[in-house]
Amino acid sequence: MAALIRENFKFVSLFFKSKDVMIFNGLIALGTVGGQTAYNIFAFSCPCSPERNYLYGLAAIGVPALALFLVGVMLNHNTWDILSECRLRRCRKVTGVAFFALLASIVGRAVVAPITWSVLSLLRGEAYVCARSEFVEPASIPGFPDNLSHVPDVMAGFPCQQVPTEVLQFWGVIERRLKYESQLLGWLLVGAVSLTAFLTLCLRHCCSPLGYQQEAYWSSFRSQENNLFQRTMDAHAHLQAIRGVRSFFGFAALDADEKALLEEAGEAGAKEQIPSLEWNRITGVYLYRENQGEPLYSRLHKWSNYTLLEDKEDMEKDMNGVSQLGFDLLTPAACAGHVGLPRSCLSCRGRLSTGSRKGCLHG
């Protein structure tokens, strides 16, 4: 029985790991449903005033959707990869197609919550009814009195039922009509988004250079690499903190796990410092590449490949960034070899005089 439970748990765990994007989007949608329901119960209150109704209804649908979209963009690591790529390498390695693909990925993830909010708002109908109530034509309602004064004020008061007694009976007709329009728009939005998502997914697989299985492998590789990198980065930062505290106090109050970590790092030859140049090389946009037929699945994978091959020249050309002044950022060692040579330093794009580093940023 215990073995069966373990096997079932392992299967469920693997399923969720393979569907991490779908599960994440589902959780976002469920959180949005809860937030939208709570807002309608506790916070939504139509002002029942001409002009204000329309603005309030639009704000109730649009402003939370916009906020959720911006949060989704900020939480997507691809956003910061693009910005880092443009800052470090001036987007020299990113084609228009690649940029569009990344932008589509960012937007596709970010619109889950705002679309869920908008659809729920339209299906519930309160915001739409509030926004559109003052624009209902009284003449389109059978039996509605035509001798009322201040008609816009009367129509705007229907959501709060703050209307003359003789027209209060028409509220049911108005509400049903507006909810019909609202829910129709909501279902049309669901259909349009579903069709767009399906066509986008088909286009993605048609244009991908990888087969379905290799693309699944690539996705698994990136997920595993990110998880391992995050854990190792936290451990390395912990080690640096230990060294700093020990240097200041002369000792560090470590528990057993921290002592084991310190010992393991020493045995493995962990780096004490990682230069900014190396961080910049593994930061930025990355799309699938191959090196002589060998797949490279990430910037870190490419960096590792160059390092193992000891191909520093190609690494510098391919992965280095650009300084704020527009110069290629190469290592000081790369420019040290140009001292004494009457030609340009490839690292600094500056003319060097014989026996001097004048004009060289690394001098």
Side-chain angles (χ1 to χ4, degrees):
M1 184 65 181
L4 180 62
I5 293 175
R6 281 198 303 272
E7 287 299 319
N8 288 333
F9 179 78
K10 186 183 297 183
F11 172 78
V12 172
S13 176
L14 290 173
F15 175 81
F16 278 106
K17 284 183 179 179
S18 65
K19 306 293 183 183
D20 55 346
V21 174
M22 183 179 67
I23 299 300
F24 182 70
N25 289 341
L27 291 175
I28 290 177
L30 287 175
T32 307
V33 169
Q36 211 274 344
T37 302
Y39 170 75
N40 278 282
I41 293 175
F42 299 109
F44 185 83
S45 179
C46 186
C48 297
S49 173
E51 298 183 0
R52 294 179 182 176
N53 278 17
Y54 184 68
L55 293 176
Y56 185 82
L58 285 182
I61 297 175
V63 173
L66 176 61
L68 289 170
F69 175 76
L70 294 177
V71 169
V73 170
M74 288 188 292
L75 292 179
N76 194 318
H77 68 87
N78 285 334
T79 303
W80 311 116
D81 282 342
I82 289 179
L83 291 177
S84 297
E85 185 71 25
C86 293
R87 183 180 66 85
L88 295 173
R89 283 170 280 274
R90 300 291 188 269
C91 295
R92 294 179 303 176
K93 303 290 184 180
V94 182
T95 64
V97 175
F99 182 83
F100 177 78
L102 287 168
L103 188 63
S105 172
I106 293 171
V107 172
R109 294 279 188 90
V111 297
V112 173
I115 286 178
T116 303
W117 179 277
S118 300
V119 167
L120 286 174
S121 297
L122 291 171
L123 292 181
R124 293 180 66 91
E126 285 93 342
Y128 186 89
V129 169
C130 177
R132 292 283 297 162
S133 60
E134 62 182 290
F135 299 105
V136 176
E137 288 291 337
S140 65
I141 303 173
F144 198 91
D146 56 1
N147 58 351
L148 291 176
S149 59
H150 304 293
V151 174
D153 292 347
V154 173
M155 303 307 293
F158 267 109
C160 303
Q161 300 184 22
Q162 297 174 355
V163 295
T165 307
E166 61 269 23
V167 297
L168 184 59
Q169 59 180 318
F170 296 101
W171 167 234
V173 177
I174 295 172
E175 184 182 31
R176 282 194 299 272
R177 177 184 296 182
L178 293 177
K179 282 197 171 183
Y180 153 76
E181 295 176 2
S182 179
Q183 292 181 2
L184 178 62
L185 289 175
W187 287 120
L188 288 176
L189 180 59
V190 170
V193 170
S194 301
L195 180 61
T196 302
F198 171 73
L199 293 177
T200 302
L201 194 60
C202 290
L203 182 64
R204 174 193 167 190
H205 285 293
C206 288
C207 298
S208 174
L210 306 179
Y212 177 76
Q213 294 293 346
Q214 190 177 5
E215 193 163 331
Y217 177 85
W218 184 18
S219 177
S220 177
F221 176 91
R222 287 184 299 179
S223 177
Q224 297 291 340
E225 183 186 72
N226 287 336
N227 291 336
L228 181 59
F229 187 88
Q230 185 64 48
R231 294 202 310 271
T232 308
M233 182 174 63
D234 292 341
H236 191 277
H238 195 172
L239 289 174
Q240 286 293 89
I242 291 174
R243 292 189 183 104
V245 171
R246 177 179 287 175
S247 174
F248 185 82
F249 288 104
F251 80 103
L254 306 179
D255 57 27
D257 291 339
E258 289 171 324
K259 291 178 181 178
L261 176 63
L262 197 61
E263 183 178 352
E264 180 183 356
E267 292 176 355
K271 298 179 180 178
E272 290 193 8
Q273 294 288 349
I274 300 175
S276 296
L277 178 65
E278 300 298 339
W279 285 107
N280 290 340
R281 282 173 173 171
I282 66 169
T283 301
V285 171
Y286 186 80
L287 298 177
Y288 178 79
R289 293 287 185 273
E290 290 187 0
N291 182 20
Q292 299 179 353
E294 180 181 349
L296 299 174
Y297 293 111
S298 68
R299 294 195 67 86
L300 182 59
H301 192 191
K302 180 191 283 190
W303 179 92
S304 175
N305 182 266
Y306 279 135
T307 302
L308 291 174
L309 295 176
E310 298 183 353
D311 193 350
K312 294 183 179 180
E313 183 177 350
D314 284 345
M315 180 190 289
E316 290 170 352
K317 291 179 180 178
D318 190 26
M319 303 191 72
N320 279 10
V322 176
S323 74
Q324 297 299 320
L325 298 176
F327 303 123
D328 287 346
L329 290 180
L330 301 186
T331 59
C335 130
H338 298 140
V339 175
L341 297 179
R343 58 188 180 87
S344 297
C345 172
L346 297 179
S347 304
C348 300
R349 308 285 186 178
R351 191 74 178 175
L352 297 179
S353 57
T354 304
S356 171
R357 286 194 180 188
K358 185 177 181 181
C360 173
L361 293 180
H362 298 118

